[in-house]
Amino acid sequence: MKTQNPQLDGVETSLFAEVDTPEKIIKFLERKNGVKKAFNSKKYSVTELIKCPRETFYKKQKIPTEELVDDSIGGMWCSVRGQFLHQMTQAYTWNELECEYSVILSDGNVSTIVGRLDMYDEKTKTVLDLKTSNNVRWKSKKGILLKSEHIKQLQIYHTMFSKIIPIENLNLVYADMTDIITYKIPVKDRTKWIVNRIEEIQFSIENGLVPKGEVNGKCRFCKYQTRCSKENFGLTRKPLSVPKKMNF
């Protein structure tokens, strides 16, 4: 016999079905209650993929981080500046969008990529990624503002998010406290690059082999510099981080 609920204006309760609680709500409650799930070594953030594979390898292996020698006021200001400028993402209704994307590796195993879009313009179908820097106008004139890893990151976002939202344009937005410069980036499928990158790191993890370092200017912010400098194909200049002192 069908029953009616007077609080539902006489609508039959059989029309409604109880479903599982959304996964994100469960994860939120687990975090708040200190519940920790087993570590998934085949799950990567987009940032982990585009950064130096050696740094990601150290992180995945849970190698203790080091302390940066130059923890200056300037460095702290860069952090605050970045947080302040990222408030611009609120200019778009669609911002801070999250997505999980799965790829099949050569051995048939599945790896998951986690990414977050800064901004999405639904009218022009444009993904915008915000990067904060200093002297953006000067760097742009010198041709040193646009970074290959930033281009790659935005194209990876297209590869991931184009499965759920229409994307026709990719824009990289560079900003400092006085200027904003935007570049239009070519759309490109990065699936093959993603698979190759994950397999490179996974091979290192499974065989205990430290991957080659990709030495560049960003190394000065890395918290594995001393360790990296002691490995082949790594940092060659004086490290700007030191192992943390043990307190007993």
Side-chain angles (χ1 to χ4, degrees), residues 85-120:
L85 290 174
H86 262 84
Q87 293 178 16
M88 285 193 296
T89 61
Q90 298 174 14
Y92 289 85
T93 304
W94 291 41
N95 61 73
E96 303 296 334
L97 303 177
E98 295 185 347
C99 173
E100 288 194 0
Y101 176 75
S102 297
V103 293
I104 300 176
L105 305 180
S106 300
D107 59 6
N109 286 317
V110 176
S111 185
T112 304
I113 317 302
V114 181
R116 176 184 293 175
L117 293 185
D118 282 341
M119 298 166 281
Y120 174 73

Side-chain angles (χ1 to χ4, degrees), residues 120 125-127 157-158 161-162 165-170 187:
Y120 174 73
K125 300 178 178 62
T126 302
V127 168
Y157 286 151
H158 167 263
F161 283 85
S162 61
I165 55 176
I167 301 174
E168 295 181 1
N169 304 290
L170 304 175
V187 171

Side-chain angles (χ1 to χ4, degrees), residues 43-243:
K43 189 171 186 177
Y44 293 85
S45 68
V46 174
T47 303
E48 287 175 332
L49 293 182
I50 65 170
K51 67 172 49 175
C52 171
R54 176 170 291 185
E55 182 179 356
T56 299
F57 170 82
Y58 287 150
K59 179 181 177 182
K60 289 287 186 180
Q61 295 291 74
K62 298 187 180 297
I63 302 297
T65 58
E66 302 170 4
E67 294 178 333
L68 293 176
V69 175
D70 184 20
D71 192 10
S72 63
I73 293 178
M76 290 187 287
W77 164 240
C78 287
S79 176
V80 172
R81 179 192 64 197
Q83 294 173 12
F84 171 75
L85 290 174
H86 262 84
Q87 293 178 16
M88 285 193 296
T89 61
Q90 298 174 14
Y92 289 85
T93 304
W94 291 41
N95 61 73
E96 303 296 334
L97 303 177
E98 295 185 347
C99 173
E100 288 194 0
Y101 176 75
S102 297
V103 293
I104 300 176
L105 305 180
S106 300
D107 59 6
N109 286 317
V110 176
S111 185
T112 304
I113 317 302
V114 181
R116 176 184 293 175
L117 293 185
D118 282 341
M119 298 166 281
Y120 174 73
D121 187 336
E122 71 278 13
K123 294 182 179 179
T124 61
K125 300 178 178 62
T126 302
V127 168
L128 303 96
D129 195 48
L130 176 63
K131 302 297 182 185
T132 60
S133 184
N134 60 335
N135 302 320
V136 297
R137 184 66 56 182
W138 178 84
K139 288 180 179 178
S140 177
K141 290 180 179 179
K142 294 292 184 180
I144 58 175
L145 180 60
L146 193 61
K147 304 295 184 183
S148 61
E149 64 266 25
H150 297 163
I151 296 172
K152 200 172 294 174
Q153 181 177 9
L154 196 51
Q155 291 173 337
I156 292 174
Y157 286 151
H158 167 263
T159 302
M160 297 172 61
F161 283 85
S162 61
K163 309 301 180 184
I164 55 177
I165 55 176
I167 301 174
E168 295 181 1
N169 304 290
L170 304 175
N171 285 355
L172 261 177
V173 182
Y174 288 92
D176 60 20
M177 301 305 286
T178 58
D179 283 300
I180 299 177
I181 295 178
T182 303
Y183 293 95
K184 184 174 182 179
I185 305 303
V187 171
K188 182 177 181 179
D189 184 357
R190 284 285 181 176
T191 302
K192 185 177 180 179
W193 184 91
I194 293 171
V195 170
N196 290 340
R197 189 66 149 191
I198 292 174
E199 290 182 339
E200 175 189 2
I201 299 172
Q202 285 297 132
F203 178 84
S204 297
I205 292 174
E206 292 167 6
N207 293 277
L209 302 173
V210 180
K212 292 182 179 180
E214 294 180 351
V215 181
N216 54 49
K218 295 180 69 174
C219 291
R220 68 183 186 276
F221 301 115
C222 178
K223 295 186 177 182
Y224 297 105
Q225 294 181 53
T226 298
R227 175 178 287 273
C228 180
S229 66
K230 295 178 179 179
E231 305 275 5
N232 292 327
F233 306 106
L235 193 67
T236 55
R237 60 161 173 73
K238 181 180 178 180
L240 298 178
S241 70
V242 294

